[in-house]
Amino acid sequence: MLIREWKFEDILALSALEEQCFSTDRWNYRTFASCYENSAFHGFVAVDGDEIIGYGGITVAADVADIENILVAERYRRGGVGTKILKKLTGCAFSAGAKEIFLEVRVSNTPAVLMYLKSGFCGVYARTRYYSDGEDCLVMKLSAEK
């Protein structure tokens, strides 16, 4: 498995992966294209052979970064792919000067919450009815090591 920066030509495959994995609140082709055109955004894909099996994106603005999304194809979950993508995103943000990294995660997404906790993130607060289906999210933060 290889983690690399995403390219514009990956956007169609990323949109298809979103459709396979999420029924609500999914990114579409236009969202991916908009991210690609944003110089503050950094996107990475996990590739197995010729297949994109996951991706992540982060926006870095001044000394703060926001993880926008991390997705791993269902059959590759719980195999360390998400953790590798997360490590790439956090390394990118800190290298770009971020002092803190934030993210939102569904409160029901226990595997993701555990991955973030194991990676050093801590819960900051909850946002009620954050997602379109009414589910709450947990806002988490990772600070640069002193």
Side-chain angles (χ1 to χ4, degrees), residues 90-139:
T90 58
C92 172
F94 290 138
S95 292
K99 303 289 182 232
E100 295 179 316
I101 301 171
F102 292 90
L103 62 83
E104 293 94 14
V105 61
R106 285 180 178 271
V107 294
S108 66
N109 192 345
T110 304
V113 171
L114 291 174
M115 175 183 72
Y116 297 134
L117 289 170
K118 287 179 185 175
S119 298
F121 282 81
C122 61
V124 181
Y125 56 89
R127 288 188 175 141
T128 56
R129 296 183 297 280
Y130 180 76
Y131 294 102
S132 63
D133 62 1
E135 185 173 353
D136 299 346
C137 83
L138 176 62
V139 176

Side-chain angles (χ1 to χ4, degrees), residues 57-75:
I58 192 164
T59 301
V60 183
D63 63 349
V64 177
D66 291 296
I67 293 179
E68 305 294 346
N69 212 355
I70 294 178
L71 179 144
V72 176
E74 194 167 342
R75 73 176 191 256

Side-chain angles (χ1 to χ4, degrees), residues 21-68:
C21 294
F22 292 131
S23 57
T24 62
D25 298 314
R26 63 179 169 232
W27 287 18
N28 59 32
Y29 182 88
R30 196 171 281 168
T31 305
F32 284 107
S34 173
C35 288
Y36 185 80
E37 294 170 354
N38 179 352
S39 62
F41 182 85
H42 306 272
F44 297 92
V45 294
V47 181
D48 185 23
D50 291 334
E51 180 184 8
I52 293 176
I53 61 171
Y55 78 88
I58 192 164
T59 301
V60 183
D63 63 349
V64 177
D66 291 296
I67 293 179
E68 305 294 346

